[in-house]
Amino acid sequence: MRVPLKELMDKIGVGFVPGAYESVPWSAYDVTKGLTCSAEIRMGADADEVEGEIQFMYETPPAGKKPMEHICFLRAVPLADKNWNIMEFKIRGEAYGADKYNWEEKACAFFQLVVQELVAGEIPNIDDLLEEAFHSRDRFADQYGGGSSKSPKIKPEQMLNIKGRGF
């Protein structure tokens, strides 16, 4: 990915560069479910690391769940060229998406989708947002099929006619 810090912050939904030790929080509460979702981006003490987290907190946890469920963790660091990249992305404690093409961009897109839901006062559906952010027809460069050398076929009846109608 390799982007300037400001661009990284835009991609994850912050919109500005936080200072050292600064955190940017979002949250939403659903009274009927007794559920709070919170997300936070934190800048490290030396402004050399960005961490993000998403958590669910239950008033009455569902069977088999703890009162607090850690949903997402991401970590970004600057590279030698001063650009930043996502180095770690976990969902429910497990590394996620690294087998997907452009996973760093997709991790940012996921975090931003969650932030958008929270800003709207909604509890995000994590699985739906993961699907939206990571589901793509993109492939790793070596997985593309052979290209076609055929020229497209143009059907004259699909061309614009003199009266301005077409396709």
Side-chain angles (χ1 to χ4, degrees), residues 116-132:
Q116 288 172 353
E117 292 282 312
L118 295 175
V119 168
E122 300 293 325
I123 301 293
N125 182 315
I126 298 302
D127 294 326
D128 287 352
L129 296 181
L130 280 170
E131 180 70 20
E132 185 176 336

Side-chain angles (χ1 to χ4, degrees), residues 15-125:
F16 66 94
V17 176
Y21 287 114
E22 189 174 356
S23 67
V24 183
W26 302 270
S27 67
Y29 175 68
D30 184 328
V31 68
T32 59
K33 295 179 183 176
L35 175 63
T36 299
C37 178
S38 66
E40 180 179 55
I41 292 292
R42 294 180 301 274
M43 178 62 78
D46 296 323
D48 62 351
E49 182 175 65
V50 171
E51 289 184 348
E53 289 185 320
I54 300 168
Q55 300 173 344
F56 281 173
M57 290 161 280
Y58 301 94
E59 287 179 3
T60 306
K65 290 197 177 189
K66 296 179 181 178
M68 195 275 299
E69 181 182 8
H70 195 259
I71 300 296
C72 174
F73 174 78
L74 70 79
R75 185 175 65 88
V77 297
L79 305 170
D81 63 359
K82 305 285 188 207
N83 283 321
W84 288 65
N85 197 14
I86 302 294
M87 301 307 269
E88 195 174 351
F89 182 68
K90 294 181 178 182
I91 297 293
R92 297 178 181 103
E94 301 290 326
Y96 188 90
D99 60 336
K100 305 281 187 214
Y101 174 73
N102 208 12
W103 70 271
E104 298 96 338
E105 289 271 350
K106 293 174 182 181
C108 291
F110 166 76
F111 203 92
Q112 185 180 59
L113 289 168
V114 170
V115 167
Q116 288 172 353
E117 292 282 312
L118 295 175
V119 168
E122 300 293 325
I123 301 293
N125 182 315

Side-chain angles (χ1 to χ4, degrees), residues 2-24:
R2 296 179 176 256
V3 295
L5 181 56
K6 171 67 170 113
E7 189 175 334
L8 174 67
M9 292 294 110
D10 289 343
K11 285 179 181 287
I12 57 180
V14 177
F16 66 94
V17 176
Y21 287 114
E22 189 174 356
S23 67
V24 183

